[in-house]
Structures are given as C-alpha cells and as structure tokens.
Amino acid sequence: MEKNNKQILWYNLAFMAFSTVWGFGNVVNGFVYFNGVQAIFSWLLMFGLYFVPYALMVGELGSTFKTEGGGVSSWIQNTTTNKLAYYAGWTYWVVHMPYIAAKASGGLKALSWVVFQNSSLYDGLDIRLVQCITLAVFLFFSYVASRGLNPLKILATVAGTSMFVMSILFILLMMAAPVINPNGGYQQIDWSIGNFIPNFRFEYFTSLSILVFAVGGCEKISPYVNKVKDPAKGFPKGMIFLAIMVIVCAILGSISLGRMFDVNEINANFDSYVSNGAYWSFQKLGNYYGIGNTFMIIYALCNMVGQLSTLVVSIDAPLRMLLDSDTAKDYIPHALLKKNKKGAYINGIWLVVAIVTPLIIIPMLGIKSVTAFLRFLTQLNSVCMPLRYLWVFAAYIALRKSMDKFQSEYKFVKNQAIAKFFGVWCFFVTAFSCTLGMFKGSPFEITMNIITPIALVGLGAIMPLLAKRNKLTVSAE
C-alpha cells in the first residue's frame, strides 16, 4: 500500500511536466516570430519531430540512472568520461548567464507595466539609463542570492504556478470572449490552408531556435521516471499526453492571439511586440470583458515576482549544481568552491557577476532602444540555452552504444538503429537551430550572438587549466 502511495500516475506526471515546460510567453513568441497563425504549423512540426522523441529519450536516461542526482552531467559521466561530464555541467550552468540578464530586464519591464500600465514611457527611456538600472537590480539580487534566502525558491515556484494558471485562463477567456462580447472588435482569421503554411525563407530558419528554446527543459522531470506507475507504459503515455496538451495550448493560444492582433501591425512593430505582446494581450482581454487593465495588472505582478525570484534562483541553483558535483571539483579552481557563512558559493556568485555585467552593459553600445534590447535578449537566449540540450542527446547516443552495461525499466524504443537515429536527429536539430539563430538581427547583434556562446562555453576550457595550476602551486608549497 505504501508503495502505491509513492507512485505517480501518468496524468499527474504530464501535468507536472506541463507546468515546467510551457508558458504564455512561448505562445506569444511563436505568434510574433512566425507570422501569426502560421505558427501553428511550426508548432506541430516541432512537437512531432523534436519534442516527443526528446521527452521520451529523457525518460529512458532518467530510468537508467535513477539513483543519480546530477542530471545531465551524471548521465554523461556514466556513459563517457569525467571530463566530458564537467563540460556538460559547465555548459548547463554557463548558458544561464544571458538568461539571468534577461530576467533582470524582464522584471523591470513587468514593473513598468504595473506602474505605468502602458509601454510608451518605459520604452522611450534612454537605453543607457535603463541598462544602468538593470545592472543595479542584478547586483542587488546577486547580493540576495549570496545571503542564502531559500524562501525565494518557494516564491519562484508560487509565481511560476500563478503564471501557468494565467496562461490557461487567457486561452479559456479569450475563446469565450467573442460569444460573451460579440462587438469587441476582433480580427478576422483567414481559415484557408494556404494562410497557415509558412514561407520557408532563410529568416524562417533563423527563428527556429525560438521554438527549440520554448519546448526544452523536460530533463528536469527525469528524477520522476521510476516513480511513475508502470514506467514502461506510464511514462510514454504521460509524455504523449503532455505533447497533446501543449499542442492544444499552442494552437488555441495562436488562434486567440489571431483574433486580437493584425499580423501586418506586428511585423511593422516587431521589437515592440516581442517585448510587450504578452501585456497587450491581457490588456485587450480586460477590455473585452469591460474591466480595463485588471487582467494585465495581475499578469504583470505575477510576471514581475516570477522574473525577479527566478533571477535569484538562476544565480544560485545552477551554480550549486555545477560546484556540488564531484567531477567539477577536479576541473574548477579551489577558490570558486569557497562558501560563506550562509552556505552560498560566494566566489562563484562573483563569477556570475563578472560574466553577466558585460551582457547587460555591452549591448547598449550597438543597440539603441529598450525594445530592441529585450528582443535581442530573447534571441540570444534562444541561441545559448538550447546548447545544454546537446548534452542530453550526446548522453542518449552514448547510452545506446553501451546498452549491455546498463539496465532500464523504460526504453524509448527497443530497436537500436531507430534509437540512435532519433538521438542524432535531435542533436542535429538543436545544433542547426542554434547556429542559424545566431544570424538574426543587426550586424552588431549577430556578432554578439556568435561571440557570446563561444566565449561562455570556451571559458569552461580555461577552468581546468587554472585548477591544474592551483594544484601545482599548493603541492609546491
């Protein structure tokens, strides 16, 4: 009886994963970047050809290494070498740096909507002033992270849950709005098949990283694979149900936005819609229901709390994952392992400050508006964050090459050739999307998109050299 109480039913797993993977921002970004309702076609392709096999591969890795707590780096360590495991852990950590910069900026943007209830004043500010304020916010929350304030992790979870609820409510309320208020002034959607087929130009492929970034991260649920009732059947059933839920939300969300916004207006004001589209959506929704900015203010408050609390967690949690691992201690200088009285890796936080500060300051040298900067951060994150998924697929390929060494309660597919094909396929899609995503934006932005991931990942190659030098110095003394 006790065993059954500990087991997770497949639909519970699906809902857990859904709240982790999906959010309203994904719907808005897909709609804005992929020409309105044409995003539906791209979502269907991404889920069918990438997300479903990705999630099922994660399930097999989690089931095989169910006693390992290090996630991707543990999978790499067991299937390859300790040094590659260190690089996997480093990549997982370092790609959070642009994400942290985006959270500081996103928190300020949400606050501006709470205070001003429109986009014009904040977006019209000098970018140098906004970036200085953003830097001050980041430095303050870096200090907060150094104090080891664990309740903020709970706050981030609560805020994330509220954002998830707001996302679902938006779709339900917007689908009902034309019935409740038929004279709301909605856009008409052209339902012909041709209107839903994208134009497969180079620009289309440079935006694919946005979708890869949106659907990634399901490796976070890997610890629960073996807690599912009948993992061999329950886990894939849960993941397929997850995919169905996300597809339905992506389709209904895109249709809802299609009733609100004119695609031509979006394309003419692209930067503004990337940074303000979610707020305008809830603002319009409130107008349809005759309650003004109420929905928008609630959404902005939830988003502000979520962005700023996640900022602290993103400074602290990935750093702990990196520095707590046994493999990292052999390849990282001893000074970075120092903890303060609150148990925080104080020198590691200083390293975060040293990396993120240029990501906040340098862009204002070549980007002239606040909206362009927020759009740039969205694109940069779509290039950098999915790099960590490459290690998931590398671990899966390595696992399948050594299947005789490992036992798993759940397998994605039994056929070795098919399993390896999907591992290579997902690796290729991720690498392809990230690479082409670098070439979107102005020449300055493209340069930043290329240099940033190379510099961040490359810094990981320097750390083992510093660690080796540190050991030689200690032994000489």
Side-chain angles (χ1 to χ4, degrees), residues 194-469:
N195 187 53
F196 289 83
I197 304 301
N199 188 340
F200 296 103
R201 297 176 298 174
F202 180 73
E203 187 180 39
Y204 174 87
F205 293 101
T206 61
S207 297
L208 284 178
S209 58
I210 294 291
L211 300 185
V212 173
F213 179 36
V215 302
C218 63
E219 64 272 7
K220 294 176 184 176
I221 64 168
S222 61
Y224 303 103
V225 177
N226 290 294
K227 296 180 182 179
V228 178
K229 184 177 181 180
D230 189 6
K233 295 181 180 179
F235 185 81
K237 189 185 294 185
M239 290 302 97
I240 292 171
F241 186 58
L242 164 66
I244 292 172
M245 286 194 294
V246 174
I247 288 170
V248 169
C249 283
I251 293 174
L252 295 183
S254 298
I255 292 173
S256 298
L257 293 172
R259 299 301 309 274
M260 285 184 162
F261 301 109
D262 181 357
V263 174
N264 294 320
E265 182 184 341
I266 290 175
N267 292 334
N269 301 279
F270 185 79
D271 290 356
S272 293
Y273 273 89
V274 172
S275 58
N276 297 300
Y279 303 101
W280 283 331
S281 300
F282 278 96
Q283 191 173 53
K284 278 180 172 283
L285 185 65
N287 291 334
Y288 295 148
Y289 281 87
I291 57 174
N293 288 336
T294 303
F295 286 141
M296 182 275 294
I297 293 172
I298 294 173
Y299 174 79
L301 282 170
C302 292
N303 197 22
M304 181 187 70
V305 174
Q307 295 270 5
L308 296 179
S309 55
T310 303
L311 169 61
V312 178
V313 174
S314 297
I315 292 171
D316 180 69
L319 184 64
R320 288 183 184 276
M321 289 180 64
L322 173 66
L323 299 182
D324 281 346
S325 66
D326 295 331
T327 54
K329 293 173 182 177
D330 295 327
Y331 300 101
I332 286 180
H334 182 72
L336 289 178
L337 303 177
K338 179 184 176 182
K339 291 183 178 181
N340 62 14
K341 295 179 180 179
K342 300 292 184 178
Y345 286 104
I346 186 63
N347 289 336
I349 291 175
W350 277 114
L351 179 61
V352 173
V353 170
I355 295 174
V356 174
T357 298
L359 292 176
I360 294 175
I361 296 300
I362 292 176
M364 71 182 184
L365 302 177
I367 298 174
K368 302 305 180 183
S369 72
V370 175
T371 54
F373 176 71
L374 291 171
R375 189 256 309 144
F376 161 71
L377 281 181
T378 300
Q379 188 65 31
L380 181 62
N381 270 293
S382 76
V383 169
C384 293
M385 284 293 275
L387 293 176
R388 58 186 176 147
Y389 312 149
L390 292 174
W391 289 104
V392 174
F393 306 127
Y396 186 74
I397 295 167
L399 170 66
R400 279 296 186 156
K401 285 184 176 180
S402 307
M403 279 302 293
D404 55 323
K405 298 179 182 178
F406 305 102
Q407 295 294 325
S408 175
E409 293 182 45
Y410 161 71
K411 285 185 172 61
F412 165 33
V413 289
K414 293 183 179 180
N415 186 282
Q416 282 285 77
I418 295 176
K420 291 177 183 177
F421 166 79
F422 275 109
V424 173
W425 166 255
C426 288
F427 187 98
F428 168 76
V429 170
T430 306
F432 176 80
S433 300
C434 289
T435 301
L436 286 188
M438 295 177 181
F439 298 95
K440 192 175 186 69
S442 67
F444 176 84
E445 292 167 5
I446 291 172
T447 302
M448 287 289 295
N449 288 339
I450 295 172
I451 291 176
T452 302
I454 293 175
L456 293 178
V457 176
L459 184 60
I462 298 175
M463 291 296 165
L465 299 178
L466 296 177
K468 185 176 181 180
R469 181 180 176 183

Side-chain angles (χ1 to χ4, degrees), residues 61 65 68-89 324-328 330-331 391 394-395 398 406:
L61 285 162
F65 305 111
E68 301 290 341
V72 179
S73 58
S74 296
W75 301 342
I76 291 291
Q77 182 180 13
N78 280 279
T79 55
T80 56
T81 65
N82 286 349
K83 192 162 191 177
L84 286 177
Y86 154 71
Y87 283 118
D324 281 346
S325 66
D326 295 331
T327 54
D330 295 327
Y331 300 101
W391 289 104
F406 305 102

